[in-house]
Amino acid sequence: MSIWDFLETYGARLANGTLVTCAQFLFASMVAIVAALLAGLGRMSGNWFIRSFSIIYIEIFRGTSLLVQLYWIFYVLPLFGVSLPKFIAGFLSVGLNVGAYGAEIVRGAIRAVPRGQWEAAYALSMSPARRMRRIILPQAFVLMLPPWGNLLIELLKGTALVALIAVADLMFVAKQINGATFLSAQAFGVALVVYFVLARFLITPFMRWLERTMSRRLGRI
Amino acid sequence: MDMSAYPLELPENDRPMVRFMNVTKSYGSLTVLDRLNLDVRRGEMVSVIGPSGSGKTTVLRMLMTLETISDGVIYVDGKPLTHMERGGVLVPADERHLRRMRASIGMCFQHFNLFPHMTALRNCMEGPVQVLGLSEREARTRSEELLAMVGMIDKKDQHPSRLSGGQQQRVAIARALAMRPRIMLFDEVTSALDPEVIGEVTNVIRKLVAEHDLTMLMVTHQMGFARDISDRICFFYKGQIEEQGPPEAFFTSPQRERTQQFLRAVKDAD
Amino acid sequence: MSFDWKWEFTWAILPRLLAATLNTLMAAGIGYAIALVVGLALALGQRSGSRALTLALREFIEFVRSTPLVLQIFFIFYVGPQFGITLSPWVSGMLAIGLHYSAYLSEVYRAGIEAVPRGQWEACRALNMSTRDTYRRIVIPQALPASIPGMGNYLVGIFKDTPMLSVIGVAELMQAANSIGSETYRFLEPYTMVGVIFLAISLPVAGLVHLLEARVRRKLGM
């Protein structure tokens, strides 16, 4: 079977899988960004409880594997009375996992904002919350973007694991086609190429564009 | 430390704008300020000079509450700056008290510290809008007036990265003034500037001294400038005031050995 | 709600899980060894001077880094038989994880090599050293300390990615937990214990890497 015949036969199914992968990516990104901001700021909080909670979250999710977290959330959490549909369990696990790494990026970027900026805001009598929101975070945001670009690619790759709890994403469809036809090179090959295209021709250019736009807004160019 | 020796508030008839009372600042075993006593009158311009490590910048940073106080009390307009009354004695102040007290003090830094993500105008408006709660229009009017005063009105829509050091420092002065402080602190504001633009900044400060009723403290290395505009010169050495006095007397006939050494060294360097 | 943690059951399955942990550690070790060697080849290949080779290697690295490891594992495991080459789960798993991480490690090496000042190369040229000796005696010894933190991080990374090998039936920790789960219909203890074992290993190792990094930085006067 030539690759063209293969695509004609299975193209639609692979496209559907790609859409599910994109949806997983978008939802997981949102979870990751929110979790990273909360945990990153929480890690620097003066409140003992918030700080400990953030550290525990970060260390647990960075210290174990995404696959373990996914299985735990999908198979074990129901035993505690929290049953999540597989689609939600999927992007939630991926998002929380990546969010723990993102938290360290957030913290690093906030600490990289020069001391003088904190002092100048302080000298204007700004409250800590306002100083963070108006002065520090906007500058930290620009510093975070390049590492987030890499992290979002890791996140996209992470979404492939949701196939293992039977979310019908690109990976899952490729596996199904492989199981039914044993056209392994075609099925997995096409999936690999699609992931590559998503990463390098959508995510990376978008993040570069965002970096340029944000630095221009900051008047750095 | 025993706080009962310090009055809760200074009496009406003895109320300088700023009073340092036995103020000590130490980091571990290193003492930066050693039981400093210093009064600054309302409307007075005091220049603080001295060798590096003498604690002169610390004086300003403590007044801005950027540094914690190890011992002693600072009074601003008669009220304790970093302490408050609780049960008849002074205790370390809470954040609310600090913010209220800080509102009357403005500061300009050696490295300007303008907010890079905001235009010159926005930098000036940020404090008035966010902290003082002024409307955008009021804040804009106020900021534009001040930018005009420092000669930066035509650059008001530029981001700091497009401005020279001298221009950035002038915007920083306008930004501090926009909060309508009663005390202005200048921390080596010309030290990071190229020699040819120092004049634009010192001229702005001269204008402030001539036209406004601000109390000012300035740390500087420019002896000529300090001599020109100050009401008093304070020479710091090892965390204490070694000698102080009106500029003419101070520069023409310094009394202390260390002052003479310092002034000779500065002169030779010129 | 059927939350009932059974300690008896936990103790009963623990030996099996710990035995599987040894396999996990071995998989991580072998995969890492492959990644260290292939990564170095990828990094040096990019500096060979041939534009075509450099470009091809860059694209290859980009491709490997932007696609999911689990998919690469499937690809290597299933595509062989289609062309008459059958690889065991262990061999294909080690190949996949080793290749995947070689792409990351090559970037670590590359950054390390590029951080060696130009003057060092020029000095070697002036001493008429061969390229081989320049790398071996001058460049790599200087590039290595700066690369150690990155290399350490990916050691932890490869360890945490080994559970993916369970998808083709490599008998590592995750696979053991899956089997226990399907035999006994109990998932709470096996999956939780897998998480605990991972934490118990990766946290100290990450801590060690951190210490090492601090030491290297101090030594380099950074």
Side-chain angles (χ1 to χ4, degrees):
Chain A
M1 197 178 204
S2 84
I3 184 72
W4 302 117
D5 294 335
F6 177 82
L7 282 179
E8 216 178 306
T9 317
Y10 298 107
R13 278 174 71 187
L14 287 163
N16 275 335
T18 307
L19 281 182
V20 174
T21 289
C22 289
Q24 283 281 326
F25 173 79
L26 287 178
F27 287 122
S29 300
M30 283 186 248
V31 173
I33 290 166
V34 172
L37 271 177
L38 289 179
L41 290 173
R43 180 100 162 65
M44 306 172 84
S45 159
N47 181 310
W48 177 87
F49 180 77
I50 295 176
R51 201 170 54 242
S52 316
F53 186 81
S54 306
I55 291 174
I56 290 171
Y57 158 68
I58 293 171
E59 293 301 336
I60 285 188
F61 276 84
R62 277 165 35 115
T64 60
S65 309
L66 171 55
L67 192 56
V68 179
Q69 292 152 23
L70 181 72
Y71 282 0
W72 208 89
I73 287 179
F74 188 64
Y75 292 112
V76 177
L77 217 48
L79 304 180
F80 292 84
V82 186
S83 279
L84 296 173
K86 56 194 176 189
F87 186 83
I88 294 178
F91 72 73
L92 197 64
S93 312
V94 178
L96 286 176
N97 176 270
V98 172
Y101 291 89
E104 295 295 280
I105 294 180
V106 170
R107 188 166 72 107
I110 287 174
R111 294 206 328 198
V113 173
R115 217 179 126 72
Q117 292 293 313
W118 296 78
E119 294 186 345
Y122 186 84
L124 291 177
S125 297
M126 284 192 189
S127 66
R130 190 164 275 141
R131 174 175 64 196
M132 186 57 83
R133 212 186 60 230
R134 304 273 317 170
I135 307 301
I136 306 301
L137 274 184
Q139 297 182 55
F141 188 62
V142 178
L143 298 173
M144 288 178 213
L145 283 177
W148 267 102
N150 288 328
L151 198 56
L152 286 181
I153 290 180
E154 294 301 320
L155 186 142
L156 173 72
K157 290 159 60 183
T159 62
L161 288 179
V162 303
L164 301 176
I165 56 168
V167 176
D169 73 335
L170 178 59
M171 171 78 213
F172 185 80
V173 173
K175 234 177 80 181
Q176 263 191 335
I177 297 172
N178 176 64
T181 65
F182 290 105
L183 293 169
S184 309
Q186 290 90 329
F188 292 131
V190 169
L192 280 170
V193 170
V194 173
Y195 277 110
F196 180 67
V197 168
L198 289 177
R200 287 297 152 195
F201 297 101
L202 282 176
I203 300 176
T204 303
F206 173 76
M207 290 305 287
R208 293 269 151 78
W209 172 81
L210 200 61
E211 275 169 45
R212 272 199 312 277
T213 314
M214 292 315 292
S215 348
R216 203 173 308 126
R217 276 233 195 125
L218 275 196
R220 285 247 171 88
I221 292 180
Chain B
M1 74 191 169
D2 179 27
M3 298 305 299
S4 58
Y6 298 97
L8 301 178
E9 210 166 284
L10 298 181
E12 288 285 351
N13 56 4
D14 179 26
R15 213 174 238 202
M17 196 65 200
V18 176
R19 167 168 290 172
F20 284 77
M21 208 178 211
N22 294 325
V23 171
T24 298
K25 174 69 188 176
S26 42
Y27 302 96
S29 60
L30 176 74
T31 302
V32 191
L33 282 185
D34 189 9
R35 279 161 293 148
L36 171 71
N37 286 294
L38 170 67
D39 281 6
V40 182
R41 289 193 318 275
R42 230 160 285 267
E44 193 180 15
M45 166 57 140
V46 175
S47 286
V48 178
I49 64 172
S52 61
S54 60
K56 52 192 196 308
T57 286
T58 310
V59 173
L60 263 56
R61 292 177 60 85
M62 293 190 79
L63 199 43
M64 192 69 253
T65 68
L66 286 167
E67 306 281 350
T68 55
I69 192 162
S70 307
D71 200 0
V73 177
I74 301 173
Y75 294 92
V76 171
D77 199 14
K79 292 192 199 64
L81 174 69
T82 58
H83 294 81
M84 55 199 258
E85 185 261 318
R86 172 105 11 114
V89 282
L90 291 178
V91 296
D94 59 16
E95 182 61 23
R96 235 181 80 227
H97 177 89
L98 282 178
R99 286 189 64 206
R100 199 171 50 230
M101 292 303 293
R102 225 154 64 203
S104 57
I105 308 171
M107 183 166 184
C108 294
F109 301 86
Q110 182 178 357
H111 296 287
F112 337 128
N113 299 349
L114 288 181
F115 305 132
H117 56 307
M118 298 177 184
T119 62
L121 180 63
R122 258 284 144 203
N123 260 282
C124 296
M125 291 171 63
E126 186 65 12
V129 171
Q130 296 290 331
V131 178
L132 304 181
L134 261 60
S135 73
E136 288 273 322
R137 241 194 44 225
E138 288 171 295
R140 180 181 303 267
T141 317
R142 181 186 283 194
S143 302
E144 284 178 344
E145 258 167 39
L146 286 165
L147 284 173
M149 198 269 284
V150 299
M152 288 296 297
I153 191 69
D154 50 329
K155 301 268 190 197
K156 69 180 162 75
D157 295 321
Q158 300 284 354
H159 280 90
S161 57
R162 296 284 183 86
L163 302 176
S164 73
Q167 292 172 328
Q168 290 191 52
Q169 195 58 286
R170 285 187 281 156
V171 173
I173 293 174
R175 178 177 73 178
L177 290 173
M179 300 296 284
R180 297 271 157 89
R182 299 158 70 198
I183 305 167
M184 273 289 279
L185 309 174
F186 297 98
D187 186 11
E188 301 196 29
V189 287
T190 55
S191 297
L193 298 180
D194 291 331
E196 73 271 18
V197 300
I198 288 179
E200 10 177 301
V201 173
T202 52
N203 282 337
V204 168
I205 298 177
R206 270 178 220 277
K207 206 155 136 190
L208 279 182
V209 173
E211 296 170 9
H212 292 263
D213 187 29
L214 280 163
T215 306
M216 293 189 248
L217 271 111
M218 173 170 84
V219 170
T220 184
H221 293 291
Q222 290 181 278
M223 297 304 143
F225 178 54
R227 183 176 184 161
D228 271 6
I229 66 158
S230 307
D231 299 311
R232 180 160 42 124
I233 309 285
C234 282
F235 173 66
F236 269 71
Y237 189 84
K238 290 202 168 152
Q240 287 178 317
I241 298 176
E242 180 80 10
E243 181 168 358
Q244 57 178 323
E248 277 313 309
F250 180 90
F251 284 106
T252 48
S253 53
Q255 301 299 306
R256 312 278 294 207
E257 173 75 29
R258 294 205 196 286
T259 319
Q260 292 161 6
Q261 273 175 5
F262 176 76
L263 290 178
R264 255 200 316 276
V266 173
K267 206 172 189 181
D268 288 349
D270 263 348
Chain C
M1 200 175 107
S2 57
F3 167 67
D4 54 333
W5 178 277
K6 288 199 177 134
W7 282 107
E8 254 167 83
F9 179 65
T10 310
W11 297 128
I13 61 173
L14 198 57
R16 200 166 152 193
L17 289 176
L18 289 177
T21 306
L22 285 182
N23 279 349
T24 287
L25 289 174
M26 194 163 76
I30 298 172
Y32 193 60
I34 296 175
L36 282 177
V37 176
V38 179
L40 186 61
L42 289 174
L44 294 181
Q46 286 179 71
R47 303 184 66 93
S48 66
S50 152
R51 257 187 77 78
L53 181 63
T54 306
L55 254 159
L57 289 178
R58 280 233 59 77
E59 280 310 307
F60 173 75
I61 290 168
E62 282 296 295
F63 190 87
V64 170
R65 276 169 25 119
S66 349
T67 49
L69 172 58
V70 66
L71 187 51
Q72 292 167 4
I73 294 174
F74 275 122
F75 187 86
I76 291 183
F77 184 63
Y78 283 106
V79 168
Q82 209 179 351
F83 300 97
I85 312 160
T86 310
L87 298 174
S88 74
W90 265 96
V91 173
S92 18
M94 292 302 87
L95 265 179
I97 214 165
L99 274 181
H100 190 78
Y101 273 89
S102 72
Y104 284 93
L105 279 170
S106 77
E107 295 289 288
V108 173
Y109 292 135
R110 200 167 65 102
I113 292 173
E114 277 170 8
V116 175
R118 238 187 117 69
Q120 296 290 309
W121 294 88
E122 289 168 0
C124 292
R125 182 63 56 81
L127 294 172
N128 206 16
M129 269 193 196
S130 68
T131 310
R132 200 185 131 83
D133 277 347
T134 305
Y135 272 113
R136 239 183 32 165
R137 316 242 356 126
I138 310 298
V139 174
I140 291 180
Q142 290 185 67
L144 207 59
S147 306
I148 282 177
M151 292 164 72
N153 284 336
Y154 287 124
L155 174 62
V156 181
I158 212 167
F159 169 66
K160 283 186 293 190
D161 272 351
T162 52
M164 289 191 211
L165 297 172
S166 66
V167 297
I168 52 169
V170 173
E172 47 64 69
L173 189 50
M174 197 77 228
Q175 170 76 3
N178 284 339
S179 314
I180 293 170
S182 54
E183 289 160 20
T184 61
Y185 300 105
R186 289 194 68 86
F187 292 97
L188 172 64
E189 294 88 352
Y191 283 154
T192 307
M193 286 315 289
V194 170
V196 170
I197 292 173
F198 265 97
L199 270 182
I201 297 174
S202 71
L203 282 187
V205 174
L208 277 178
V209 169
H210 215 75
L211 273 180
L212 195 66
E213 181 178 352
R215 244 181 94 171
V216 168
R217 273 176 189 278
R218 231 188 358 260
K219 265 205 178 142
L220 290 178
M222 281 155 80

